Amino acid sequence: MKVCKDCLHFGNEFKGFCRLTNTCVGSLYSCDSWKPSLETIKHIRPVFLFNSVTLDLDKVIKAIYDFSNHSVLVIGDIMLDEYIFGSVDRISPEAPIPVLDVKRKTHTLGGAANVVNNLVALGAKVYIAGVMGNDATGECLKSEFKKLDIATNGIFCDPNRPTTKKTRIIALGHQMIRMDYESRNEIDRNLEDKIINYFKDVFPVCDIVLISDYAKGVVTNRILNEVITTCKNYKPVLIDPKGKDFKKYKGATGITPNSKEASIASNCEDVDLAGKKLLDELKLSAVFITKGKKGISLFEKEKLPVNIPAMAREVYDVSGAGDTVLSTLGLGIVSGLTYPESVVLANIAAGMVVGKFGTSTISQAELLDNIVGIVPPSKIKKRRELKQVIDYLKTQGKKIVFTNGCFDLLHIGHIHFLKESKKLGDILIVALDSDESVRNIKGNGRPVINQIERAQILSALDCVDYVTIFSSKELNFLLKELRPDILTKGSNYRKEQIIESEIIESFGGKLVLIPITKGVSSSKIIHNIINNYSAYSNTGLHC
């Protein structure tokens, strides 16, 4: 029996409202005389119920936003995931094998590097410790880390081993073969010392250590022992394990094996028995067993197992899903969520990632959107997010149209131009000049409308699919990164005036000039407003 929050009478437990199931859950208390409306209940205690796990909506939202306040150290096997796309329409005369006509190549961060990528996308500050070879792949990795603003002083070079790279050959939307370039030999003691010293340097500023073990030789027993012992009773250590023997992970906070790995390491076919055995023998606080389409099972001391079903709507590519689980679990835990709450978040995040192509990530906004529906799916994308989306859309055969401009004081000429641009393809991207760029182009006093509001206005148009804000000096780089099929400009330009035409044509795209609506411009509208205001002021009348 509790005191009613509304009328102070003693009453029975009143449960909060779940938006997913339209049922009542939670821990509010009220007496029988208090009869709140459904809308009142929603505002009082918005919660979600996932199987047996109750999520307090306010708590979850605060935790996700709190991701940005945490620093994470990632230790493990960094690698590059390369994708070669092409078409197959003939068989080799040399052997009965298909011939791939290569169209394009892309790459993303993989392994422990993908854990870093996930953490950055979710807003965290990240440090990375690992080993690479003295090769072009290693330099490419460092370049990708630089784009994420990640320091690479914890990545050490071993000239005797290649940087791990996984190359996937893709045709007709399907993987044909994967080629791995790697060494699985353990790193030497000198490299162990460097990683341990780096760990000790950044340990004071990190809230959690995530270890991504892909069995490529970086996560040695000595490094694990040093990290687990140092962090004991101070900071959590979460490990994505590999191998048949998990004894080296003893004493960590938790591990995240898949069901096959857990079964082999525990010698138990049954997932529940495997989880309990690993929990007890390795003296862990929690075991998180990922089960693919069946979701994630959580095991804690003296508690019943918690099974959270998978949240994927459509599975397109499972690459990197385990990295997403590790990243989201870690941030959930250090942001104040319980293990079950963190599992729900990780499951939702993994379900979103497998619906994307390749080794992908999700952002804070995407995670919030999928949990509570309070963040509308946004057309406004940061450049890195936009590249992920466009890469995926290209695998679906979509034709990408790109245009750019200031779009200050949107008028009928803009609308006509954008509609005509959209007709040329499937997806229209509008690169919007930042406020600083507009000032440089148009002069002081412009833009009239700031970049955020201009982006929101453009995103409200049905013909516009995505908007990204950029600096004019970044345009060439943006085109090279996104590689659209078509670039559109107004017919008030001549082709020879458009320097971007060479870039678009260099990768097989084309420039299309759209007839402009004569007599209409933002500058003219602003001039008319000023003249009309001056004429009105001279009448002596006032509003």
Side-chain angles (χ1 to χ4, degrees), residues 165-290:
K165 180 170 73 170
K166 297 179 180 180
T167 299
R168 297 169 175 89
I169 310 297
I170 298 163
L172 302 175
H174 297 283
Q175 248 188 77
M176 296 175 62
I177 193 170
R178 193 183 89 182
M179 301 181 294
D180 290 0
Y181 306 81
E182 64 183 25
S183 169
R184 286 175 287 225
N185 297 324
E186 285 198 351
I187 58 175
D188 60 31
R189 191 173 184 86
N190 179 50
L191 286 168
E192 283 183 324
D193 288 340
K194 289 180 178 179
I195 290 177
I196 289 170
N197 289 335
Y198 180 77
F199 157 69
K200 290 179 178 178
D201 286 342
V202 300
F203 172 77
V205 298
C206 291
D207 301 303
I208 187 172
V209 178
L210 303 183
I211 297 179
S212 179
D213 189 355
Y214 274 78
K216 309 304 179 189
V218 171
V219 184
T220 64
N221 287 6
R222 182 165 169 248
I223 289 175
L224 281 166
N225 182 64
E226 185 71 39
V227 172
I228 292 170
T229 302
T230 303
C231 291
K232 197 73 173 177
N233 300 323
Y234 292 102
K235 297 175 183 180
V237 178
L238 208 55
I239 303 173
D240 187 0
K242 283 291 182 292
K244 298 179 180 179
D245 186 2
F246 284 4
K247 289 188 180 69
K248 61 182 179 179
Y249 307 121
K250 187 174 182 178
T253 306
I255 56 175
T256 63
N258 61 39
S259 53
K260 182 180 179 181
E261 291 166 339
S263 176
I264 293 172
S266 64
N267 199 29
C268 295
E269 290 293 329
D270 182 79
V271 171
D272 283 0
L273 293 177
K276 291 173 184 176
K277 186 174 181 181
L278 292 172
L279 185 70
D280 293 336
E281 290 187 355
L282 302 181
K283 300 189 182 305
L284 306 167
S285 297
V287 174
F288 310 87
I289 298 181
T290 59

Side-chain angles (χ1 to χ4, degrees), residues 310-329:
M311 304 298 292
R313 300 182 185 91
E314 181 180 351
V315 177
Y316 186 82
D317 194 333
V318 297
S319 302
D323 302 327
T324 301
V325 169
L326 182 66
S327 306
T328 315
L329 272 177

Side-chain angles (χ1 to χ4, degrees), residues 3 47 53 77 108 152 157 159 174 218 250 330 357 391 426 507 528:
V3 177
V47 295
V53 180
D77 300 296
T108 60
T152 56
C157 182
H174 297 283
V218 171
K250 187 174 182 178
F357 176 78
D391 284 348
D426 302 301
F507 48 76
N528 288 340

